[in-house]
Amino acid sequence: MKNVIKVFSTILIIVLSFISANAQEPKQKTTQTAVIKTAIYCDHCKACESCGDRLEKTLLKEKGVQMITLDEKAMTIKVVYNSRKTDITKIKTAISKLGYDADDIKADVVAYESLDGCCKK
């Protein structure tokens, strides 16, 4: 009976030490922020239906994208996303498919042609 108690106690101590070690490991940060350089040529993009509203609504539908902020003066799009669900390349590709450059990924030609005249160079 004493041996059973010793074995049980030893197993319990080992299990509790593993649980304690896992609890102390830092969690990997999954929320990432990226600033993507783009080319926006109109001065009212946030209010323009073919720019700001469409850009925001479409990007927010992308899996993992949590928030976007369009800065038409700096010509950037700040994206907050979950890195477990998406990556920056997928986000840049989505921006490209809307007709805008996204850093090194050029705008999709067909999508660019569908933009309003004020949104083109």
Side-chain angles (χ1 to χ4, degrees), residues 28-43:
Q28 184 179 10
K29 186 177 177 183
T30 59
T31 303
Q32 302 289 322
T33 302
V35 178
I36 301 168
K37 187 75 175 155
T38 189
I40 301 170
Y41 299 104
C42 72
D43 59 354

Side-chain angles (χ1 to χ4, degrees), residues 54-120:
R54 187 176 88 176
L55 187 67
E56 185 172 340
K57 285 181 181 179
T58 305
L59 287 180
L60 287 174
K61 289 179 184 176
E62 284 292 313
K63 185 176 181 179
V65 175
Q66 298 171 346
M67 184 176 78
I68 71 155
T69 306
L70 176 65
D71 185 346
E72 70 270 12
K73 288 180 178 59
M75 290 193 187
T76 60
I77 301 170
K78 180 179 175 183
V79 182
V80 178
Y81 65 98
N82 183 330
S83 61
R84 288 187 180 171
K85 295 182 179 181
T86 192
D87 59 47
I88 194 66
T89 304
K90 290 179 185 175
I91 295 169
K92 288 179 182 180
T93 302
I95 293 169
S96 170
K97 288 180 180 178
L98 289 171
Y100 301 96
D101 293 342
D103 286 338
D104 55 336
I105 299 176
K106 295 295 179 191
D108 179 79
V109 176
V110 175
Y112 177 78
E113 290 302 321
S114 70
L115 293 175
D116 287 350
C118 64
C119 302
K120 299 177 193 176

Side-chain angles (χ1 to χ4, degrees), residues 14-15 18 43-44 65 89:
I14 292 171
V15 168
F18 280 122
D43 59 354
H44 64 281
V65 175
T89 304

